[in-house]
Amino acid sequence: MNMMPDRFKRQTLALFFIVSIVPALIVGAVWYVYSQNSSANLLLVNFKSFVLPVIMVGVLPAVILSFIFAELLARPVRRIHHATLELLRGNYHTRFEVQGAGEFDDIGRALEVLATKLEQTLSESASETALIAAERGKLRTVLNSMTDGVFALDRAGRILLFNKAAGALTGRSIEEVAGQLAEKVMPFRAHGELVMTRWLARQGNEDEHIGQWHDLELYRADGQSLYVDVEAVVIKDDPNGIATLVTFHDLSSTHQLDQMKIDFVALAAHELRTPLTEIKGYLDILSTEAAGLSKSDRIFLNRAVTSAERLGGLMRNLLNVSRIEHGELNFRLEPINYVEFLNDFVHDTKPRSKQMRRRIELKLPLKLPTLEADASALHEVLTNLVDNAFSHTAAGIGVITITADRRGGEIETTVSDNGIGIPAQALPRLFTKFFRVNPMKSAASGTGLGLYICKAIVEAHGGTIWAESTEGEGSSFSFRLPARPVAPSAAPSDNETITTISRGTHGWIKKHSVH
């Protein structure tokens, strides 16, 4: 802005000079002349009759000129004030016309430039806002058209976004869940535990950005259970504040179908158990009196006994699955000398392995801690794993190896074979109900329930189970169970404590009773 005096400044200074100085000079001059030539009385009279009117005549123009001067100063201020109010109302094309008003003219031009830039900025902002709104509309349309439920969480675990499918599946609206903690309104559970909450708590320390869970239980608003597959993705530095995006797929119909399968086969197995028991009884009688049978008859009899045993194992698996699903599979824990237990198991299994032309080996350290487990259930786990190895190895060259060793406070047991192996894409589903690897191509028979039962038993004992395999080279199935230190021998107690494990509504429950 030019601060040098211009035409407006000169005019105002001249006007101020005329208004302030000239009348004073005139009055002063007149008063001086009369004071030199008059007496005091005459001077007083002349002041009243002549000088006072002259002063009044000088003051009146000064007042008038003052009003004119004030108007000249106020007019550009009023124009700028009016234009500024128009700018506040959104009229960015208003003009700040104060030409010839010196610095006010510079202020007016500066405000016009500011109004132009402000209009341009707001126009660009409106375009960007419209574009963002359009993109959000597209995202909302895509999310609401999905059949899978989707919701987003902030860093505190509160729900920010909730699509239409999520509302339909859970019976909740976005108004109900917005701002709520996900663990309260969307509690995904596996055996009663909030699995996703624990996973999210680890994200600050780990590099795990994607979590996946299968067959989790979710409670609807009406209290009914929903079974879902869940996938969660951690989002870093999102400008909208989204920290985690969660997608869940409804498996209720599949779960219901599996339940119908289990109920049906359990009923069938229960009805077939009595006639099978009679068949096995007659076969046992024939086996004890087989001295008079020919060699071919003995072969037929052995095959019949083997088939009856396989059928008995199949029915046992079907009934166990039914008990697991209904929470009726109870275990009685007792101290087990694991080295002796495994030796007895291999000794009992060798006749069958010899009959099937497979070799079974046992590799153990000299000493292992005592296990606290249900012996029958543990025998069931090993039997299913060994049967699985028998089914996937070739006669004559198949080798099944059982190893056990201590891993910290746990005992790890592995059943490995040199069979056909398992495809990598099938490994995540090995322990699910009714799953079989390439059922149309595989020569191995089975229902796909043995590994599911193993997983349920191991997890009920507080352990973990997993599988490793390479196609064409064989497979290894391992499980770990908590070890219990061997207690020193003591006199038998009158009161014996028995621990049973049962499956409740929200997971496995241990109960202790004293006898």
Side-chain angles (χ1 to χ4, degrees):
M1 182 181 294
N2 184 14
M3 299 301 295
M4 298 298 292
D6 55 11
R7 187 163 57 102
F8 179 76
K9 291 179 181 179
R10 290 193 294 272
Q11 290 174 352
T12 55
L13 287 173
L15 182 61
F16 177 78
F17 178 78
I18 293 171
V19 171
S20 304
I21 303 301
V22 173
L25 291 175
I26 293 174
V27 173
V30 172
W31 178 252
Y32 178 77
V33 172
Y34 274 89
S35 65
Q36 295 295 325
N37 302 318
S38 304
S39 63
N41 292 333
L42 181 61
L43 185 61
L44 181 60
V45 172
N46 288 336
F47 178 80
K48 293 180 179 179
S49 60
F50 177 76
V51 178
L52 190 59
V54 170
I55 293 175
M56 295 300 296
V57 170
V59 171
L60 182 62
V63 173
I64 294 173
L65 290 175
S66 297
F67 277 111
I68 295 173
F69 176 66
E71 177 62 22
L72 290 175
L73 288 176
R75 187 178 300 168
V77 175
R78 283 199 300 269
R79 288 180 179 175
I80 291 176
H81 178 260
H82 174 73
T84 304
L85 292 178
E86 289 295 317
L87 185 62
L88 288 175
R89 295 187 184 100
N91 181 12
Y92 303 107
H93 299 285
T94 186
R95 308 301 298 174
F96 295 83
E97 297 177 352
V98 287
Q99 289 85 357
E103 284 80 358
F104 291 111
D105 190 16
D106 293 340
I107 293 173
R109 285 195 297 270
L111 289 175
E112 286 184 2
V113 174
L114 179 62
T116 302
K117 291 184 177 180
L118 182 60
E119 181 185 16
Q120 182 180 358
T121 302
L122 290 177
S123 177
E124 293 175 355
S125 177
S127 300
E128 292 179 358
T129 302
L131 181 61
I132 292 173
E135 293 300 322
R136 285 182 176 176
K138 291 179 183 178
L139 177 61
R140 190 178 297 109
T141 301
V142 171
L143 289 177
N144 288 332
S145 64
M146 295 176 64
T147 56
D148 287 345
V150 179
F151 62 94
L153 308 177
D154 62 11
R155 296 190 181 280
R158 299 183 183 277
I159 296 177
L160 298 176
L161 180 149
F162 202 71
N163 78 335
K164 194 173 182 179
L169 290 171
T170 63
R172 296 181 173 90
S173 64
I174 180 61
E175 291 78 16
E176 290 180 72
V177 302
Q180 298 291 322
L181 288 173
E183 64 182 14
K184 291 184 177 180
V185 295
M186 299 291 291
F188 295 109
R189 300 179 184 274
H191 304 306
E193 294 186 3
L194 295 170
V195 293
M196 200 176 72
T197 302
R198 181 181 298 176
W199 178 80
L200 287 172
R202 298 200 310 263
Q203 297 313 299
N205 302 321
E206 297 187 9
D207 235 3
E208 187 181 3
H209 299 313
I210 299 178
Q212 293 179 327
W213 302 271
H214 299 286
D215 202 21
L216 297 186
E217 188 177 16
L218 172 65
Y219 293 119
R220 289 173 44 89
D222 57 8
Q224 296 183 0
S225 292
L226 190 70
Y227 294 92
V228 294
D229 280 350
V230 180
E231 181 172 311
V233 180
V234 174
I235 301 174
K236 300 292 186 182
D237 302 324
D238 180 73
N240 298 310
I242 296 177
T244 309
L245 191 65
V246 182
T247 305
F248 60 99
H249 176 69
D250 183 19
L251 296 176
S252 296
S253 57
T254 304
H255 192 274
Q256 185 178 9
L257 181 60
D258 286 347
Q259 192 64 46
M260 292 173 63
K261 287 181 182 179
I262 291 169
D263 290 342
F264 173 76
V265 296
L267 177 62
H270 183 74
E271 293 298 325
L272 290 173
R273 185 168 55 177
T274 299
L276 179 62
T277 302
E278 294 181 359
I279 292 173
K280 289 180 67 176
Y282 292 133
L283 290 174
D284 289 340
I285 293 173
L286 288 175
S287 297
T288 56
E289 299 178 359
L293 297 178
S294 64
K295 184 176 180 180
S296 59
D297 290 338
R298 289 179 182 176
I299 293 174
F300 294 150
L301 178 60
N302 290 334
R303 288 179 180 175
V305 171
T306 301
S307 297
E309 290 177 351
R310 289 178 58 189
L311 184 57
L314 172 62
M315 289 195 304
R316 186 173 61 252
N317 281 345
L318 293 175
L319 291 172
N320 282 340
V321 170
S322 178
R323 294 189 185 104
I324 291 171
E325 292 298 311
H326 290 91
E328 299 172 353
L329 189 61
N330 297 332
F331 303 123
R332 175 170 292 191
L333 303 184
E334 58 182 333
I336 298 175
N337 185 320
Y338 203 43
V339 173
E340 292 182 3
F341 180 86
L342 290 176
N343 277 296
D344 292 342
F345 175 81
V346 171
H347 180 268
D348 295 340
T349 308
K350 275 189 175 180
R352 184 161 171 250
S353 66
K354 184 177 180 180
Q355 182 183 2
M356 299 186 68
R357 299 174 58 203
R358 270 80 164 174
R359 190 168 82 251
I360 185 167
E361 298 178 349
L362 179 63
K363 296 181 180 180
L364 296 175
L366 295 177
K367 188 177 181 180
L368 284 173
T370 300
L371 270 179
E372 190 171 12
D374 185 292
S376 298
L378 191 55
H379 192 280
E380 183 81 9
V381 171
L382 290 169
T383 299
N384 281 331
L385 294 180
V386 170
D387 285 349
N388 185 70
F390 282 162
S391 299
H392 292 86
T393 52
I397 59 174
V399 179
I400 293 88
T401 305
I402 301 176
T403 60
D405 206 350
R406 183 168 187 167
R407 297 287 185 269
E410 297 178 313
I411 295 178
E412 181 177 303
T413 307
T414 300
V415 178
S416 58
D417 62 66
N418 61 344
I420 59 176
I422 303 168
Q425 63 270 21
L427 287 174
R429 299 186 59 196
L430 278 180
F431 297 96
T432 57
K433 294 188 294 289
F434 301 110
F435 178 76
R436 295 180 59 197
V437 180
N438 296 326
M440 301 303 294
K441 298 180 181 180
S442 176
S445 61
T447 59
L449 294 175
L451 294 179
Y452 171 75
I453 294 171
C454 291
K455 182 175 186 290
I457 293 174
V458 169
E459 290 182 350
H461 283 76
T464 55
I465 188 170
W466 68 95
E468 298 173 348
S469 182
T470 302
E471 283 192 89
E473 297 182 10
S475 306
S476 296
F477 289 83
S478 304
F479 63 92
R480 288 184 180 181
L481 295 176
R484 187 174 70 87
V486 179
S489 59
S493 173
D494 293 334
N495 295 329
E496 179 188 4
T497 301
I498 298 176
T499 303
T500 59
I501 305 176
S502 60
R503 187 174 184 177
T505 305
H506 302 294
W508 296 98
I509 302 171
K510 286 187 177 182
K511 295 181 179 179
H512 306 276
S513 57
V514 179
H515 298 277

